[in-house]
Amino acid sequence: MQDLHVADTRDAVLARNAEDKALCFSYEVRCDDPQLSFYTDWPITPPLCFSNEGLAQDAALVKLQASAIPTSSRPETVRRHEGFQFKAAQFSINIFLSEAEVLNQAVQKDRISRCYAIHLKSKTIRWKYFFTGSLARKKMQIVDLDANEGQTGIVFEASTQTATDSGFALISQTAIPMQYRPVQQFQLREAGMAGKVLIKRLPNASVNKIGKERGPDGQNLLVAEIYIHQ
């Protein structure tokens, strides 16, 4: 996230209300990552706003809650940043402070600043590995090294849709959370009793390579693509 800026200052609030009962600081958060919507599971359909939904709270860490932005308040303009177009507000943040809270922070100079946190949940997407070269001619299986003892963990099955006629593809049966730095540990082995290790640690999926897969019911599924040539 970047380009965080204050859209409504304290002085502007006081000028409008002519009193110092409560302050509302509004922030507009913008991101130039075009893949953000693919790997983020929004709690409410964007555009949305995160706020502390109240005035003074004693907690040092305040978790902001999501709420929908009224249609009349939604931004209609489009801005350009580094060649990428995006709506004016990917999401916004409203922080409300009571008069007592503002005074406490001003008087107690050694007071620890309050932290406000939002939780953006990762969307789950099925992973798809494309194999070309000599690997594509072998019978392979992907093993989940994070699986509990006696369990298979995440299972991969053969896909009928490959990148090339001579290629081979395996797709996860279940969706996996998308992250910039995934923690999953998958190993490629030869299928069969021997289970020879072909690749000790397979590369993880990236949010920069998103494709489609036709599911058994004929519907299109989003997949994170990983290409391996060996």
Side-chain angles (χ1 to χ4, degrees):
M1 299 300 172
Q2 60 183 13
D3 292 338
L4 186 68
H5 68 276
V6 177
D8 207 353
T9 65
R10 177 181 184 277
D11 291 341
V13 174
L14 295 179
R16 286 199 305 270
N17 299 334
E19 53 186 351
D20 195 2
K21 290 184 177 180
L23 304 180
C24 173
F25 296 89
S26 297
Y27 302 85
E28 180 186 273
V29 182
R30 301 180 294 166
C31 180
D32 61 356
D33 184 355
Q35 303 294 337
L36 182 67
S37 60
F38 287 114
Y39 60 81
T40 302
D41 186 8
W42 300 104
I44 298 174
T45 302
L48 70 163
C49 176
F50 292 88
S51 66
N52 55 336
E53 294 187 346
L55 299 178
Q57 299 184 43
D58 296 330
L61 174 64
V62 179
K63 295 182 179 180
L64 305 181
Q65 303 297 318
S67 60
I69 297 178
T71 304
S72 58
S73 302
R74 295 181 180 181
E76 299 295 336
T77 60
V78 175
R79 302 180 184 179
R80 183 177 296 274
H81 176 70
E82 294 182 357
F84 173 70
Q85 285 191 341
F86 52 89
K87 290 185 177 180
Q90 184 68 40
F91 60 85
S92 59
I93 298 174
N94 288 334
I95 297 176
F96 298 89
L97 300 178
S98 68
E99 179 182 17
E101 187 174 13
V102 173
L103 289 176
N104 285 338
Q105 292 184 358
V107 173
Q108 301 178 27
K109 295 183 180 180
D110 58 345
R111 179 186 176 95
I112 298 176
S113 299
R114 174 168 293 171
C115 295
Y116 299 90
I118 60 174
H119 179 209
L120 295 181
K121 186 178 179 181
S122 295
K123 184 179 291 185
T124 57
I125 299 178
R126 295 174 70 174
W127 289 18
K128 184 176 181 179
Y129 284 91
F130 292 91
F131 299 97
T132 56
S134 61
L135 278 179
R137 296 191 291 271
K138 298 179 181 292
K139 292 184 178 181
M140 298 175 291
Q141 64 175 349
I142 294 177
V143 178
D144 183 0
L145 300 180
D146 296 317
N148 294 327
E149 186 176 355
Q151 298 181 353
T152 56
I154 297 174
V155 177
F156 286 78
E157 59 187 2
S159 171
T160 58
Q161 302 174 51
T162 59
T164 63
D165 293 337
S166 59
F168 182 72
L170 290 170
I171 184 172
S172 63
Q173 291 182 348
T174 55
I176 303 171
M178 295 300 295
Q179 304 176 57
Y180 271 116
R181 296 180 180 179
V183 297
Q184 287 77 13
Q185 299 183 84
F186 296 129
Q187 188 174 90
L188 184 67
R189 299 178 185 174
E190 275 193 285
M193 296 297 294
K196 178 183 177 182
V197 176
L198 301 174
I199 298 180
K200 186 176 181 181
R201 176 78 180 270
L202 285 169
N204 288 327
S206 168
V207 296
N208 297 319
K209 293 182 180 179
I210 303 295
K212 290 184 178 181
E213 170 88 3
R214 188 172 297 278
D217 55 0
Q219 294 184 345
N220 287 328
L221 302 173
L222 282 178
V223 295
E225 300 176 342
I226 310 101
Y227 293 86
I228 299 175
H229 178 78
Q230 184 174 309

